[in-house]
Amino acid sequence: MDNRPIGFLDSGVGGLTVVRELMRQLPHEEVIYIGDSARAPYGPRPAEQIRAYTWQLVNFLLTKDVKMIVFACNTATAVVWEEIKEQLAIPVLGVILPGASAAIKSTASGRIGVIGTPMTVKSDIYRQKIQALSPDMQVESLACPKFVPLVESNELTSSVTKKVVYESLQPLAGRVDTLVLGCTHYPLLRPIIQNVMGPQVKLIDSGAECVRDISVLLNYFEINRSRDKQELNHRFYTTASAKSFAEIAESWLGKEITVEHVRL
Ligand code: DGL
C-alpha cells in the first residue's frame, strides 16, 4: 500500500484526458496534476526547450511527494521520457508505448495512422515503436499543429475547429483503419475527428490506454492506495490562468476541482 498521490504532467489541459480515464478505472487513486498552459504548445518548440520544461514539471511534482509520475504528454514522452525515467527512483510512465500496442491490436489492414504535434511526428517514435513490435505494419504520421491551440482556448465544437480538423486530416482520409490520437489534447476533439475519418476508423486514445499500464505497475510494486482511505484530495496546478483551466477541466471531468496557479 502507498497512499501518496500519482503525479501527472502535460503542456496544458491535454493530460486531463488521461486523468478522466484514471478516475474512471482507478477511482480510489489521488491525483496531482501540473499543466504548463503558459508555455503551451510544446509541440513546435526545439527538443532542448521541451526537455528543460519537462524537467521543471517533474521537479515540481517531486516536491509534492508523488509515488509515480505519468507523462500525460506525447511530446514530452518522445523527447525526454527515457532520460528522466532512468534518473528517478519512482516509476515513470509515458503514453507512447501503450498507444503503439493498442494500435497494433486494433488494426485489421495493418495500415495505422498517427496524428500528433510537430515534435512527436518529427521524432518518428510511434512508427519505430509499432514496427519494433510488429515489423509489417505500415504507419503514416501527420502533424496537426493547429489542434492544441484550439483545445487550450476551449474551442472544442466551433465551426472553425470543425473546418481545421477536416482540412488537417485530409491526407489520411481513406488510407488507414486505425488512427492513434498521438497527443493527449486530441481526445477533446474526438467526436469531430471521428466524424471526419468515418465510423469504420478506430481511434486509439494513447492516454486512456496508458491507464491500464498505471494499474499494472501499481499492482506490481504493491503501491495501490488503500481503499478505506476515502478522502481524496486531488490537486490541479497550472502555470496560466486557474480560472480558464478550471473551466475546461470541470466540464471535461464532470466535477468541481481546485486549481491553483503556480510559477515554475
Ligand atoms: N498534450 C501534448 C501531447 O500529448 C502536448 C501538446 C503541445 O503542447 O504541443 O503531445
Side-chain angles (χ1 to χ4, degrees):
M1 289 293 166
D2 187 334
N3 293 326
R4 293 178 299 163
I6 301 176
F8 292 82
L9 64 84
D10 181 46
S11 62
V13 295
L16 292 168
T17 61
V18 186
V19 168
R20 182 163 90 167
E21 196 53 30
L22 179 103
M23 289 175 164
R24 196 179 71 78
Q25 290 186 37
L26 300 169
H28 47 276
E29 291 296 335
E30 193 171 73
V31 170
I32 300 274
Y33 185 100
I34 174 82
D36 194 6
S37 292
R39 299 187 292 197
Y42 277 14
R45 293 180 183 277
E48 201 39 53
Q49 202 170 43
I50 297 168
R51 178 175 172 271
Y53 291 175
T54 307
W55 266 112
Q56 288 182 340
L57 300 176
V58 165
N59 287 326
F60 173 81
L61 289 173
L62 291 175
T63 67
K64 303 289 172 193
D65 195 23
V66 292
K67 63 183 171 187
M68 176 190 284
I69 290 182
V70 179
F71 278 33
C73 175
N74 290 260
T75 310
T77 306
V79 173
V80 70
W81 172 65
E82 304 259 359
E83 172 190 325
I84 293 178
K85 98 177 144 83
E86 268 159 35
Q87 294 192 36
L88 300 196
I90 53 172
V92 182
L93 254 108
V95 279
I96 290 175
L97 284 174
S101 319
I104 295 170
K105 197 169 149 203
S106 142
T107 185
S109 67
R111 290 209 307 271
I112 298 170
V114 177
I115 51 173
T117 68
M119 177 54 79
T120 301
V121 168
K122 196 174 113 199
S123 75
D124 198 31
I125 192 162
Y126 270 102
R127 192 191 56 76
Q128 288 166 19
K129 298 295 182 195
I130 289 171
Q131 290 182 342
L133 292 168
S134 188
D136 292 340
M137 296 284 154
Q138 287 173 36
V139 181
E140 283 192 50
S141 305
L142 178 70
C144 299
K146 293 182 178 162
F147 291 7
V148 170
L150 288 168
V151 172
E152 285 290 323
S153 49
N154 207 4
E155 279 218 40
L156 306 182
T157 52
S158 72
S159 52
V160 173
T161 302
K162 285 182 186 145
K163 186 164 179 280
V164 165
V165 172
Y166 176 80
E167 286 172 359
S168 303
L169 294 180
Q170 283 320 299
L172 288 177
R175 300 181 58 82
V176 296
D177 73 349
T178 297
L179 180 67
V180 179
L181 306 180
C183 170
T184 53
H185 281 72
Y186 298 175
L188 286 133
L189 302 174
R190 187 179 185 124
I192 305 180
I193 296 173
Q194 186 77 68
N195 200 26
V196 171
M197 293 305 290
Q200 73 289 354
V201 174
K202 192 111 188 280
L203 302 186
I204 304 293
D205 177 342
S206 54
E209 295 298 332
C210 120
V211 174
R212 213 163 311 151
D213 287 19
I214 296 176
S215 176
V216 169
L217 281 186
L218 291 174
N219 289 329
Y220 181 79
F221 291 110
E222 299 182 355
I223 52 172
N224 291 286
R225 187 181 161 89
S226 149
R227 275 157 208 256
D228 21 284
K229 276 236 161 214
Q230 281 310 332
E231 272 297 293
L232 290 173
N233 179 22
H234 301 307
R235 277 152 291 162
F236 295 82
Y237 300 90
T238 174
T239 55
S241 148
K243 190 168 165 276
S244 313
F245 185 97
E247 232 164 71
I248 301 178
E250 289 183 348
S251 94
W252 181 250
L253 299 175
K255 60 172 85 177
E256 269 186 37
I257 56 164
T258 331
V259 185
E260 226 178 275
H261 169 82
V262 280
R263 219 182 275 269
L264 291 175

